[in-house]
């Protein structure tokens, strides 16, 4: 189990159409979550829901602000800096008067709670919120609609997309490309291969490569890539995410709960406790919280 596990946005999203066509297992989180404070104590549900709403509200404000003012936002300003500004406005802690000290302390605690909860964003995108660029935060905005969790994998979707290429194209494995040479005079592209294999010439070439390879092999392109593109490649980085999956033989959370009571007699008998009626085992995909951006809003 690896790879992406979300479909971000369902409005006019062709990936959703492919997922439905291939009967890929999807689900929608209901938004509930458990929150624990920095001491490990569970936060009351009502308070957790309210604070979570504050966090997502600020994230949406940040996306809007980034989209409208990206050109003027300093490159070193982070999403965390934006959060610090907004919680200060939401929970102002004015010092000065002695009778206001207690209220000010309460406001500061609220600010700290929201800032701590805001760090969950780093777990969604793979890099700490302190290093998330506010200038380019608008790029994180999703397509409108729901954010669906892919409860199985993208395997069926990828197989469907690959069908035309697998049927009509010649696919070469174990052919390592050493250099891509663009001939401006003849408008052709030459691909140099390793192990003294003959070069291949094409009218056009579409290339994908890991970011790390691009960083280490700028000389693979002739002529060199434009300076602005080279600078972008060297400046980009990858986030790091770990996924943990829990598997269960049955979906016990979907099992209905029934209550039964024992008839009253002269001898006091305590009522029977609530019990669950087991359902036949059925094959289920692994469920888990994936390390991708979460769509709970």
């Amino acid at each position: 189990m690896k790879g992406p596990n979300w479909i971000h946005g369902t409005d006019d999203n062709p990936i959703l159409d492919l997922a439905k066509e291939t009967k890929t297992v999807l689900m929608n989180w209901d938004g509930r979550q458990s929150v624990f404070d920095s001491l490990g104590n569970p936060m009351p549900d009502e308070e957790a829901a309210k604070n979570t709403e504050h966090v997502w509200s600020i994230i949406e404000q940040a996306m809007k602000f980034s989209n409208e003012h990206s050109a003027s936002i300093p490159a070193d300003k982070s999403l965390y800096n934006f959060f610090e500004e907004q919680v200060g406005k939401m929970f102002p802690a004015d010092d000065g008067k002695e009778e206001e000290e207690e209220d000010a302390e309460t406001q500061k605690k609220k600010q700290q709670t929201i800032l701590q909860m805001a760090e969950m964003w780093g777990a969604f995108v793979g890099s700490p919120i302190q290093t998330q660029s506010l200038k380019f935060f608008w790029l994180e905005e999703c397509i409108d609609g729901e954010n669906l969790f892919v409860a199985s994998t993208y395997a069926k979707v990828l197989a469907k997309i690959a069908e035309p290429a697998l049927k009509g194209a010649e696919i070469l494995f174990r052919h390592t490309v050493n250099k891509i040479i663009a001939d401006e005079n003849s408008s052709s592209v030459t691909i140099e291969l390793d192990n003294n294999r003959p070069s291949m010439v094409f009218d056009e070439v579409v290339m994908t490569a890991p970011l790390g390879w691009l960083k280490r092999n700028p000389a693979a392109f002739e002529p060199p890539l434009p300076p602005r593109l080279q600078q972008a490649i060297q400046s980009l980085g990858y986030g790091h995410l770990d996924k943990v999956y829990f598997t269960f033989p049955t979906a016990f959370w979907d099992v209905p709960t029934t209550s039964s009571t024992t008839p009253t007699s002269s001898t006091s008998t305590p009522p029977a406790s609530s019990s669950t009626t087991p359902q036949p085992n059925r094959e289920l995909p692994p469920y888990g919280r994936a390390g991708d951006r979460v769509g709970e809003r």
Side-chain angles (χ1 to χ4, degrees):
M1 292 289 295
K2 59 183 179 180
N5 282 98
W6 292 94
I7 295 178
H8 292 294
T10 53
D11 292 1
D12 300 320
N13 190 337
I15 296 297
L16 176 61
D17 297 334
L18 288 169
K20 290 179 177 179
E21 181 182 347
T22 57
K23 294 181 171 55
T24 296
V25 181
L26 306 174
M27 66 177 294
N28 192 359
W29 296 106
D30 61 9
R32 292 175 297 173
Q33 61 179 349
S34 297
V35 179
F36 295 81
D37 64 21
S38 58
L39 299 177
N41 301 313
M43 187 178 293
D45 290 345
E46 184 176 348
E47 183 181 350
K50 185 181 296 184
N51 289 335
T52 300
E53 183 62 31
H54 287 321
V55 171
W56 284 110
S57 174
I58 295 175
I59 286 176
E60 290 177 356
Q61 292 175 45
M63 286 185 178
K64 185 174 185 294
F65 183 81
S66 176
N67 192 28
E68 295 176 353
H69 305 284
S70 180
S72 60
I73 297 175
D76 60 349
K77 188 168 185 176
S78 70
L79 176 60
Y80 188 78
N81 297 145
F82 187 84
F83 260 89
E84 290 178 314
E85 294 173 359
Q86 298 308 308
V87 296
K89 296 176 183 177
M90 294 173 68
F91 307 108
D94 297 324
D95 297 325
K97 297 181 180 180
E98 185 175 344
E99 59 270 18
E100 293 180 353
E101 288 184 3
E102 184 175 346
D103 289 340
E105 189 63 28
T106 299
Q107 295 292 79
K108 288 180 180 178
K109 287 182 179 179
K110 290 181 178 179
Q111 292 179 14
Q112 190 62 28
T113 297
I114 300 302
L115 290 175
Q116 288 175 337
M117 290 183 64
E119 295 196 21
M120 69 179 181
W121 181 259
F124 300 155
V125 298
S127 60
I129 187 175
Q130 290 84 355
T131 61
Q132 175 86 55
S133 169
L134 180 64
K135 186 178 184 70
F136 299 107
F137 189 55
W138 60 272
L139 293 170
E140 295 287 350
E141 191 166 6
C142 301
I143 299 173
D144 290 336
E146 297 178 282
N147 291 276
L148 300 179
F149 182 74
V150 180
S152 52
T153 70
Y154 264 94
K156 294 179 181 178
V157 174
L158 292 175
K160 184 66 178 179
I161 294 173
E163 273 182 7
L166 293 174
K167 288 180 179 178
E170 180 184 3
I171 300 177
L172 303 177
F173 296 101
R174 302 182 184 278
H175 283 59
T176 302
V177 175
N178 287 335
K179 183 164 287 191
I180 302 95
I181 304 171
D183 189 337
E184 298 178 357
N185 296 323
S186 63
S187 299
S188 63
V189 181
T190 300
I191 304 298
E192 289 188 357
L193 304 174
D194 67 344
N195 297 329
N196 296 319
R197 288 191 173 98
S199 298
M200 306 176 74
V201 180
F202 301 92
D203 295 326
E204 295 177 332
V205 170
V206 177
M207 176 182 176
T208 63
L211 178 61
W213 185 91
L214 290 172
K215 288 177 178 289
R216 294 190 301 270
N217 296 277
F221 299 92
E222 187 179 314
L225 296 174
R228 184 171 175 80
L229 185 54
Q230 292 189 50
Q231 182 183 5
I233 290 172
Q234 295 303 323
S235 299
L236 284 172
Y238 267 131
H240 178 78
L241 294 170
D242 292 318
K243 297 184 181 182
V244 179
Y245 290 89
F246 297 90
T247 61
F248 305 95
T250 59
F252 63 86
W253 51 88
D254 284 337
V255 176
T257 301
T258 59
S259 299
S260 61
T261 57
T262 304
T264 304
S265 64
S266 57
T267 304
S268 177
T269 304
S273 60
S274 298
S275 61
T276 57
T277 304
Q279 293 183 341
N281 288 354
R282 62 183 186 275
E283 185 178 353
L284 292 172
Y287 287 84
R289 293 306 293 262
D292 204 345
R293 286 180 300 172
V294 171
E296 298 170 347
R297 297 194 180 186

